[in-house]
Amino acid sequence: MKNIKLQLTIFLSLVHLLNYGQVTLNADGPGNTYELITSVLAPGYNPIEVPDCNHSAFGRHIDEIFDADLNKNVFRFSMHTTPDNDRCINFDRQRNEIKSYNQSPDNLLGVEDEIVIYKWKFKLDTDFQVSPSFTHLHQLKSVGGSLASMPMYTLTARKSNPDRIELRYAETDDQITLLQTDLAPFKGHWLNVTETITYGTSGTYEIVIKKESDDSILFE
């Protein structure tokens, strides 16, 4: 079983003409997890893509548990090699995802000349296994347009010897690897991620991943 346990706290700081906005998503305890996520990321719509349809016996693949290390409730994302798939649409992969997208409130979408800061914590289990195909952990995509299906930035785990974590970038429809490092130090630890994007034709991007325990930088 592949099991990713995350404490996901998203801060969106939108900076435009000296106006600031912040949105947070925090686990608040077991029950109504999908409803909580939806109420923040896309009220009245469905920002959750999970493999529940083909694995209903397991229950919801995103739930909330209490984490003793952080002393707070966290979101737990679970995926299984079988029988999970991609929403009963694609059967050669699994998907367990939450997102902001075209049905999300405007203040959750980055537009030209805005600075957006995402912050969250995540933890990969010590026995987390990387798929030999791809294991995407985080993506940024455009909303609409001919390249909407191609992520601009992707944080992905790569099967290798040793396994790696990579930051991938696509200006158009071709991806390149910007950064990569050994995945092993990322497993079994709570990590803090800060991602800062200035949207525009001459925009900027920065990501920093630190260990929660000692604030040491693992990726930047």
Side-chain angles (χ1 to χ4, degrees):
M1 182 178 81
K2 298 178 183 177
N3 192 316
I4 308 176
K5 183 169 66 174
L6 298 99
Q7 192 267 338
L8 182 60
T9 306
I10 301 174
F11 299 88
L12 297 181
S13 300
L14 305 182
V15 183
H16 185 223
L17 297 178
L18 301 181
N19 290 323
Y20 296 83
Q22 179 172 288
V23 177
T24 64
L25 172 60
N26 291 303
D28 61 6
N32 297 317
T33 300
Y34 290 2
E35 292 77 8
L36 171 61
I37 294 168
T38 298
S39 71
V40 174
L41 296 185
Y45 294 94
N46 184 21
I48 301 168
E49 298 182 348
V50 289
D52 297 359
C53 64
N54 200 50
H55 196 187
S56 58
F58 179 78
R60 290 184 165 189
H61 283 68
I62 308 174
D63 62 357
E64 296 168 76
I65 61 172
F66 184 81
D67 183 84
D69 292 337
L70 295 176
N71 195 34
K72 62 175 63 176
N73 293 301
V74 300
F75 294 107
R76 178 174 60 181
F77 290 61
S78 298
M79 285 197 299
H80 313 88
T81 304
T82 57
D84 292 357
N85 58 43
D86 180 4
R87 301 162 293 164
C88 293
I89 298 172
N90 300 304
F91 299 91
D92 62 343
R93 67 196 67 183
Q94 298 82 32
R95 182 188 298 265
N96 195 355
E97 175 181 314
I98 63 175
K99 62 184 181 180
S100 58
Y101 67 127
N102 62 341
Q103 302 294 351
S104 298
D106 288 344
N107 65 338
L108 292 184
L109 304 177
V111 298
E112 190 169 8
D113 296 326
E114 283 186 333
I115 298 173
V116 179
I117 302 173
Y118 299 90
K119 294 184 179 181
W120 72 96
K121 300 180 190 292
F122 77 100
K123 180 181 181 181
L124 301 176
D125 284 354
T126 54
D127 60 352
F128 176 77
Q129 298 180 42
V130 179
S131 168
S133 297
F134 57 87
T135 307
H136 297 329
L137 304 175
H138 169 67
Q139 292 182 327
L140 284 176
K141 290 184 176 181
S142 59
V143 176
S146 60
L147 298 174
S149 63
M150 171 62 75
M152 290 181 290
Y153 288 93
T154 303
L155 188 66
T156 191
R158 182 78 62 187
K159 187 71 174 177
S160 187
N161 187 21
D163 292 343
R164 304 190 303 265
I165 187 167
E166 299 178 348
L167 178 66
R168 305 272 292 167
Y169 170 67
E171 184 173 354
T172 55
D173 56 357
D174 291 318
Q175 279 194 333
I176 61 172
T177 299
L178 298 178
L179 295 170
Q180 63 181 33
T181 192
D182 185 357
L183 181 64
F186 292 76
K187 294 183 179 182
H189 304 285
W190 280 104
L191 306 171
N192 291 311
V193 184
T194 301
E195 184 180 44
T196 306
I197 306 106
T198 301
Y199 286 98
T201 53
S202 299
T204 61
Y205 178 90
E206 179 183 84
I207 188 169
V208 179
I209 303 178
K210 299 180 179 181
K211 286 177 65 174
E212 169 78 16
S213 59
D214 60 10
D215 216 32
S216 59
I217 296 175
L218 298 181
F219 199 76
E220 69 172 338

